[in-house]
Amino acid sequence: MCAQREPASLRRCGCRPTLKGRKKIAAPPFYALHYVPLARKNFGGVKTNLRCQVLDKHHEPIPGLYAAGELTGMAGGHINGKAGLEGTMLGPALFSARVAGAWAAYEAGYGKGFAGKADCR
């Protein structure tokens, strides 16, 4: 990258990435990976009630709007509380998705909502 195009912080600190010691890729096939950093854990997010309905600024449910998982902060409505450690987010995220889906279906006229019991048919 041309020095004029590099961020000033890289030019100042001298921590510019180097290709020294790397193998040259000269012959196809060439492959590329689009890498995008992402948050793995969220301790904020959209406020929801126990039915995973999104709440407005007055803490009232917004009709027809549900949210689940990381979007709701701490994997689904703060299920883990302050003990949200790495590896503890997937289960609550899936659980909150099930709750949100069941109540959204109920609001649309399908099903009985979520009663907290396994559906053993």
Side-chain angles (χ1 to χ4, degrees):
M1 180 185 285
C2 176
Q4 287 79 20
R5 291 187 179 169
E6 287 182 333
S9 60
L10 287 180
R11 288 194 307 267
R12 269 195 315 269
C13 73
C15 58
R16 180 184 332 151
T18 178
L19 297 177
K20 185 178 179 180
R22 306 276 185 204
K23 286 180 153 182
K24 183 176 181 180
I25 302 172
F30 300 112
Y31 300 95
L33 173 67
H34 183 195
Y35 176 77
V36 179
L38 58 97
R40 292 181 21 209
K41 185 166 31 174
N42 179 7
F43 288 102
V46 176
K47 296 288 183 197
T48 60
N49 61 16
L50 292 176
R51 291 185 174 188
C52 294
Q53 294 171 294
V54 176
L55 304 177
D56 65 16
K57 65 181 178 180
H58 304 292
H59 303 285
E60 296 295 324
I62 299 172
L65 187 58
Y66 293 82
E70 288 289 317
L71 175 68
T72 59
M74 294 180 75
H78 307 281
I79 291 171
N80 283 336
K82 292 182 179 179
L85 304 172
E86 291 297 326
T88 64
M89 300 296 174
L90 182 59
L94 294 173
F95 177 76
S96 64
R98 183 175 177 182
V99 172
W103 286 113
Y106 175 78
E107 187 174 314
Y110 301 96
K112 299 177 183 178
F114 185 82
K117 295 181 181 179
D119 185 9
C120 302
R121 293 183 201 183

